[in-house]
Amino acid sequence: MSVTAAKGFTAAGIAAGIKSNGNPDLALVVNTGPRRAAAGVFTSNRVKAAPVVWSQQVLADGELTAVVLNSGGANACTGPQGFQDTHATAEKVAEVLSKQGTDVGAGEIAVASTGLIGVLLPMDKLLPGVEQAAAELSVHGGEKAAIAIKTTDTVHKTSVVTKDGWTVGGMAKGAGMLAPGLATMLVVLTTDADVDAAGLDGALRGATRVTFDRVDSDGCMSTNDTVLLLASGASGTTPAPDEFTEAVRDVCDDLARQLIGDAEGASKDIRIEVINAATEDDAVEVGRSIARNNLLKCAIHGEDPNWGRVLSAIGTTAAAFEPDRLNVAINGVWVCRNGSVGEDRELVDMRFREVTITADLAAGSESAVIWANDLTADYVHENSAYSS
Amino acid sequence: MSVTAAKGFTAAGIAAGIKSNGNPDLALVVNTGPRRAAAGVFTSNRVKAAPVVWSQQVLADGELTAVVLNSGGANACTGPQGFQDTHATAEKVAEVLSKQGTDVGAGEIAVASTGLIGVLLPMDKLLPGVEQAAAELSVHGGEKAAIAIKTTDTVHKTSVVTKDGWTVGGMAKGAGMLAPGLATMLVVLTTDADVDAAGLDGALRGATRVTFDRVDSDGCMSTNDTVLLLASGASGTTPAPDEFTEAVRDVCDDLARQLIGDAEGASKDIRIEVINAATEDDAVEVGRSIARNNLLKCAIHGEDPNWGRVLSAIGTTAAAFEPDRLNVAINGVWVCRNGSVGEDRELVDMRFREVTITADLAAGSESAVIWANDLTADYVHENSAYSS
């Protein structure tokens, strides 16, 4: 049900011709109210795509009426023309929605794009596509919207949590250039809970900090990452803040796991648990260092419990630890104890897709989980094809 | 000629049986004087192998008589037993050299090891190997020593610079886990120049800072990196400090380029020039960020001038720059100007092994060069085999 699981939203997904292969490439999500509160988090990459710059501006007042998303082109590193194109897209959405009776300006329309960096969007196809998408808006359109934002994703990703009288739902795309801050991904979450912009912002930041921000498939940070949360208030229910944050986090966590599970070329999902750290920041730093070690990622691909590569990754961090007190388990077998040889590595069973690496820093009581993928020849092939 | 190009040195390289395939795996380099000054730089990884801990200690007084090196096992993450094994190796070298008439203690012997992490060395093979190597010491032994330290290296690496009456020569190994701080590599440099320990230390640090420390093949920092410089004084000549530093830097630069040229699975050597940076540190940070971007490394492998991935890597740094003033050239074609589309990417010819990426930060006048490799299916295969 995706973004239309919550009451007060319509959506559509169509093929506008932005992708040369004719696949769906344009999605529209509209908040039909009564409330139009919204919050967003965006890539921390300093090179930001035009739609990111635009959407950050229009979100400043905590209100959004609609989100238009395209795959088939990131509109990043496209200069002033790229920003004009984003602006024109928002104007077009406002124009067609106004014709349908929703009085709205471009300043209430967020824009998100994904695809190749450094290429202008084909506006002659995109703008007519907006008209077509608006004509197909439906309370059943969530699935089609989720399909239209796919790039190298092999499956579309949706998630829904329903509580007592209110719902949080969403859709996500992302399969490569997937690393914290956030992952290369577009995510739209919707809720019919009656929550104001400040409440949405707090819940969204709390949720993304421990979900999307802890996904690190390939260490590469995107120019286009966007996560939006829109509230229609259509349920008439205002949940307790903690309960609402938990529901948003559950949807984010589910979508984040779906991103890792569909990462480009990956054959393993690696759950990296860092335990007994002095601080949560230390745990996250160590987890990311392990997640980004290419030699370890290759070893996991080869089902080799090569714990020496885990230690060499930990050793590059500034986290509090003593090298001769480090312990490492792979799938529950403590192959490294006190910085040296532990249980027999032959005991480690790595046949299944999910692999758990536990790094015990023996320096405190904080912990964090980072999700990563292995490094495979398929990843290389998928990303070395010309202008993939 | 390797480490025996300079007068006052003997060396040997033999097969002690540490490697199961019978290839050479033990090297010995001896300074026959008259001077025995030495300096060293070591991995900045906090998880340090036993021989690194040992060699740092014995170098504290600025003197070394010999270096013993083994491939076939890193003796890293091997606990107290690993350190005892390193100590026993140094004791054995001192014993056999003393029998040959060189009065020397274990505290004048550096030890270096390379190979798999987390496995104890077969001392029953290594110690007899030391006796055999000592028996074969020769002023012509430099080449054999360079061959004996190879792991996955396909060729052995040596370099020599001869000046007016004095010489700097050296050998290196390293093909994977190759990243700054230093690369996974063992390097022994020798000179017959008459230079004291402080002079050697200054020259070596000045040279490694701009050579080995700017090699980043795969972003993975080793537990065993060791670069040693030994001076015999046998030429009777004391060069001017600047001239000596330059000669050491030339040998380091040559060896560093040989490491990149032989990196595991690589099909391209990537020269990353960062220009017009506000500071040299900014230039190095940006260069390393580009060097470690897996998506870009895949694109270079595919001969795809994907400059968007260069910009997304620059955007993750804290360096001074404005996104809309960045310029990027690939093999001399300015495919990105002012953060946007520049010259036609079809003009870029990437057929040859060496690829140059120029990143112009337009923020100052400092610069740096980082060398990296592409990411290939061969790298994945070589590093996903069990316990490679």
Side-chain angles (χ1 to χ4, degrees), chain A:
Chain A
M1 291 282 280
S2 177
V3 289
T4 48
K7 288 189 289 288
F9 292 92
T10 57
I14 61 122
I18 304 167
K19 287 178 179 167
S20 55
N21 64 8
N23 283 345
D25 50 21
L26 190 79
L28 187 58
V29 181
V30 177
N31 184 348
T32 58
R35 184 190 268 284
R36 298 221 164 77
V41 288
F42 299 89
T43 183
S44 55
N45 199 311
R46 292 169 60 201
V47 176
K48 292 181 204 305
V52 168
V53 175
W54 170 267
S55 296
Q56 284 183 309
Q57 288 176 6
V58 300
L59 253 178
D61 65 354
E63 292 213 344
L64 281 182
T65 296
V67 186
V68 58
L69 310 96
N70 74 275
S71 52
N75 198 8
C77 306
T78 44
Q81 183 63 48
F83 192 79
Q84 285 173 34
D85 288 347
T86 289
H87 187 174
T89 303
E91 289 283 3
K92 186 71 179 178
V93 172
E95 174 197 322
V96 296
L97 292 183
S98 294
K99 277 187 191 160
Q100 291 183 354
T102 305
D103 186 24
V104 58
E108 294 159 66
I109 313 294
V111 182
S113 300
T114 180
L116 187 63
I117 298 173
V119 179
L120 289 168
L121 291 171
M123 297 303 288
D124 58 326
K125 290 171 178 161
L126 198 153
L127 296 180
V130 169
E131 296 201 16
Q132 185 189 340
E136 296 189 16
L137 283 167
S138 154
V139 294
H140 306 294
E143 209 78 12
K144 283 189 174 177
I147 291 168
I149 60 175
K150 286 169 56 186
T151 53
T152 56
D153 308 69
T154 66
V155 293
H156 63 286
K157 289 110 181 166
T158 67
S159 183
V160 174
V161 168
T162 296
K163 296 285 186 178
D164 187 22
W166 55 277
T167 292
V168 178
M171 63 180 184
K173 70 78 45 181
M177 204 179 269
L178 204 54
L182 307 160
T184 282
M185 56 191 200
L186 306 182
V187 178
V188 179
L189 307 173
T190 58
T191 182
D192 48 21
D194 194 10
V195 181
D196 65 13
L200 296 178
D201 188 68
L204 187 60
R205 289 182 191 282
T208 55
R209 192 179 73 84
V210 294
T211 55
F212 295 120
D213 267 349
R214 295 195 181 168
V215 163
D216 195 334
S217 172
D218 64 359
C220 297
M221 191 197 293
S222 158
T223 50
N224 286 60
D225 298 331
T226 300
V227 183
L228 300 171
L229 171 58
L230 284 65
S232 70
S235 71
T237 303
T238 302
D242 284 357
E243 193 185 7
F244 183 64
T245 298
E246 186 186 331
V248 173
R249 191 177 60 229
D250 286 349
V251 171
C252 288
D253 195 46
D254 184 19
L255 291 172
R257 287 283 292 112
Q258 291 182 49
L259 294 176
I260 283 288
D262 190 34
E264 283 172 354
S267 72
K268 301 284 187 191
D269 299 346
I270 312 172
R271 175 184 166 88
I272 301 164
E273 306 172 331
V274 183
I275 63 173
N276 298 323
T279 65
E280 187 179 351
D281 284 351
D282 273 7
V284 171
E285 181 188 357
V286 167
R288 285 187 180 159
S289 180
I290 296 170
R292 293 180 177 187
N293 189 282
N294 277 354
L295 287 171
L296 177 65
K297 288 157 70 89
C298 287
I300 299 297
H301 176 53
E303 304 188 345
D304 171 10
N306 196 320
W307 59 267
R309 294 176 181 177
V310 179
L311 259 69
S312 73
I314 297 172
T316 64
T317 71
F321 68 83
E322 294 299 326
D324 60 1
R325 295 194 62 202
L326 293 170
N327 305 301
V328 173
I330 301 179
N331 282 351
V333 180
W334 290 94
V335 284
C336 170
R337 286 205 184 272
N338 295 318
S340 183
V341 187
E343 293 180 60
D344 187 351
R345 64 164 77 198
E346 299 295 336
L347 298 174
V348 182
D349 182 353
M350 299 179 71
R351 288 173 298 169
F352 301 101
R353 182 170 175 109
E354 189 170 319
V355 173
T356 298
I357 297 175
T358 311
D360 172 7
L361 302 189
S365 57
E366 297 297 320
S367 63
V369 172
I370 299 281
W371 281 94
N373 292 107
D374 58 342
L375 182 56
T376 71
D378 286 346
Y379 176 90
V380 174
H381 291 146
E382 191 156 346
N383 287 297
S384 58
Y386 190 89
S387 292
S388 69

